[in-house]
């Protein structure tokens, strides 16, 4: 399956009713024929006093499956219009689009790792994205840095957290490991003693299930509660726990 990566960054503001994650998820509505939604991945970038961001400095990358309908100009035009409609006042939105086989992917992957550890510039983002599409759509255009990083990190297959994948948001609060596997989500124990989640075991998510991207696949990291029951390693951030508008 050939994948197409579409990333948005810095589309929100502190007073807005939604964040970049929702902007990315809305993009999946009415995709052009020949492109199919695979998932949306949240990428966490560097939190630093010299990096302007709204809440947590996260970007969102949409992953599309190309079934023979990918045309970069048309997708760029659609994404740019999407940002025009949904990026909030005062934001500095950026857009990056690249196919998985783009010659720029290796540079973008390195750039993404750097964006998680040091302050980068728009010029460095443009250099990394050479051969892929990268554009700013308002304000300072600072979102091009996060958008480029999100594509690189997501395409590498080992970073980020899914905020949309299949029926992820419709799964019950408690389901079996087998049901998660059937939904395309691998379940991996982080238990010290390497106990294994078996098909009939239960996973209690509390209604918030966000698997990580690991090995190019949705992977739910779990820890044992005992008696064949598990819980996800990562839970929903509690209100007031470094929370603000834009959390996804």
């Amino acid at each position: 399956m050939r994948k197409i990566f579409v990333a948005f960054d810095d589309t929100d503001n502190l007073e807005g009713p939604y964040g970049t994650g929702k902007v990315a998820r809305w993009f999946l509505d009415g995709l052009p024929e020949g492109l199919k939604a695979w998932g949306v991945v949240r990428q966490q970038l560097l939190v630093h006093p010299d990096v302007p961001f709204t809440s947590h400095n996260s970007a969102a990358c949409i992953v599309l499956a190309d079934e023979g309908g990918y045309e970069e100009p048309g997708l760029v035009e659609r994404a740019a219009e999407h940002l025009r409609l949904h990026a909030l006042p005062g934001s500095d939105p950026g857009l990056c689009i690249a196919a998985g086989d783009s010659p720029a992917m290796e540079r973008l992957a390195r750039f993404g790792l750097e964006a998680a550890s040091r302050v980068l510039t728009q010029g460095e983002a443009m250099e990394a994205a050479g051969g892929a599409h990268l554009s700013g759509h308002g304000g300072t255009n600072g979102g091009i840095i996060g958008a480029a990083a999100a594509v690189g990190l997501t395409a590498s297959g080992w970073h980020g957290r899914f905020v949309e994948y299949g029926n992820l948001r419709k799964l019950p609060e408690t389901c079996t490991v087998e049901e998660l596997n059937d939904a395309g989500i691998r379940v991996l124990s982080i238990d010290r003693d390497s106990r294994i989640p078996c098909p009939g075991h239960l996973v209690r998510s509390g209604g918030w299930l966000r698997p990580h991207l690991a090995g190019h696949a949705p992977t739910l990291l779990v820890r044992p509660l005992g008696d064949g029951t598990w819980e996800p390693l990562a839970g929903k951030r509690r209100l007031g726990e470094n929370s603000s508008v834009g959390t996804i």
Side-chain angles (χ1 to χ4, degrees):
M1 177 183 68
R2 186 184 188 219
K3 292 179 180 176
I4 310 299
F5 300 86
V6 181
F8 300 140
D9 187 37
D10 203 346
T11 66
D12 52 1
N13 61 40
L14 281 172
E15 293 75 33
Y18 55 81
T20 299
K22 281 192 176 179
V23 173
R25 288 166 52 211
W26 292 339
F27 188 74
L28 299 179
D29 296 334
L31 287 171
E33 187 176 351
L35 289 176
K36 184 178 179 181
W38 186 76
V40 179
V41 179
R42 176 195 188 274
Q43 293 292 352
Q44 178 62 51
L45 306 176
L46 177 67
V47 175
H48 188 279
D50 293 335
V51 178
F53 58 89
T54 305
S55 58
H56 301 290
N57 198 24
S58 63
C61 186
I62 302 144
V63 186
L64 303 175
D66 178 19
E67 298 181 332
Y70 174 57
E71 295 180 359
E72 182 178 287
L75 193 61
V76 169
E77 182 179 350
R78 185 179 186 276
E81 176 64 8
H82 188 75
L83 288 175
R84 187 188 70 79
L85 292 173
H86 299 296
L88 294 171
S91 62
D92 307 306
L95 166 67
C96 186
I97 299 179
D101 55 2
S102 168
M105 266 318 173
E106 187 174 340
R107 294 191 305 273
L108 285 170
R110 290 197 300 268
F111 181 81
L113 288 174
E114 290 181 359
S117 61
R118 71 177 182 90
V119 179
L120 299 171
T121 67
Q122 293 187 37
E124 288 174 300
M126 295 299 294
E127 183 178 357
H133 176 85
L134 183 62
S135 57
H137 294 269
T140 67
N141 295 324
I144 66 171
I145 298 172
V151 165
L153 289 169
T154 305
S156 75
W158 288 95
H159 307 282
R161 185 182 79 211
F162 281 87
V163 296
E164 192 74 82
Y165 180 81
N167 64 345
L168 177 67
R169 291 174 176 263
K170 296 180 180 178
L171 290 170
E173 291 190 12
T174 300
C175 50
T176 65
V177 170
E178 185 175 22
E179 288 170 333
L180 290 169
N181 290 336
D182 289 343
I185 301 170
R186 301 183 303 191
V187 181
L188 178 65
S189 170
I190 50 87
D191 178 44
R192 178 179 179 274
D193 296 320
S194 299
R195 282 174 279 185
I196 298 172
C198 297
H201 286 183
L202 298 177
V203 177
R204 303 190 187 280
S205 69
W208 195 85
L209 201 62
R210 300 292 184 270
H212 286 77
L213 174 61
H216 297 272
T219 305
L220 187 67
L221 306 178
V222 297
R223 54 192 166 202
L225 294 175
D227 299 324
T229 304
W230 303 78
E231 68 175 359
L233 177 63
K236 186 176 179 64
R237 183 179 282 114
R238 296 181 179 86
L239 187 64
E241 183 186 341
N242 192 29
S243 64
S244 77
V245 171
T247 301
I248 55 178

